[in-house]
Amino acid sequence: GGCWHQCCPGRNNACWAPGARWARCYCDSYCERTGDCCEDYHAVCRRAAVGCAVGPWGPWSGCSSSCGVGSKSRSRQVTVPPRHGGEPCPDLKQRRGCLGEHPTCGTAK
């Protein structure tokens, strides 16, 4: 067995292979702390792992409601996708509440 089939970020108990004498060895990055990595983990996973990188946040959108409660959103793009068990991407979208205050809101009764 070995990690040639998978490499996983973080602690992932499902990321294993049969090792010596049918004991499980692991291919997640946490195996370095616990000392139960598969023999080929460093060659296959650590050298090749590339973590996700993202660009800056874009501007907030306008409020979805011109009068009253609505929401705004913004996003950012992935500049380097994760590969070979590297760190996954963080959130790419954010939302927050807003209050639409168009000048005609108070006159529409």
Side-chain angles (χ1 to χ4, degrees):
C3 296
W4 59 270
H5 65 288
Q6 65 183 347
C7 296
C8 306
R11 186 175 194 169
N12 184 342
N13 290 335
C15 192
W16 63 273
R21 290 181 231 129
W22 296 103
R24 287 184 179 186
C25 62
Y26 290 86
C27 301
D28 59 352
S29 59
Y30 196 76
C31 75
E32 292 186 288
R33 289 187 185 171
T34 55
D36 54 4
C37 297
C38 292
E39 289 181 17
D40 63 350
Y41 174 77
H42 288 284
V44 175
C45 299
R46 294 306 299 157
R47 184 175 61 204
V50 175
C52 182
V54 294
W57 287 107
W60 286 101
S61 68
C63 192
S64 63
S65 174
S66 56
C67 296
V69 178
S71 64
K72 292 181 175 189
S73 62
R74 68 178 181 172
S75 63
R76 58 185 172 181
Q77 301 295 317
V78 172
T79 56
V80 178
R83 292 191 299 272
H84 310 294
E87 286 298 312
C89 294
D91 289 339
L92 300 175
K93 294 186 179 188
Q94 285 184 334
R95 256 178 113 98
R96 71 177 182 191
C98 60
L99 185 61
E101 298 179 353
H102 192 271
T104 60
C105 293
T107 60
K109 295 212 184 232

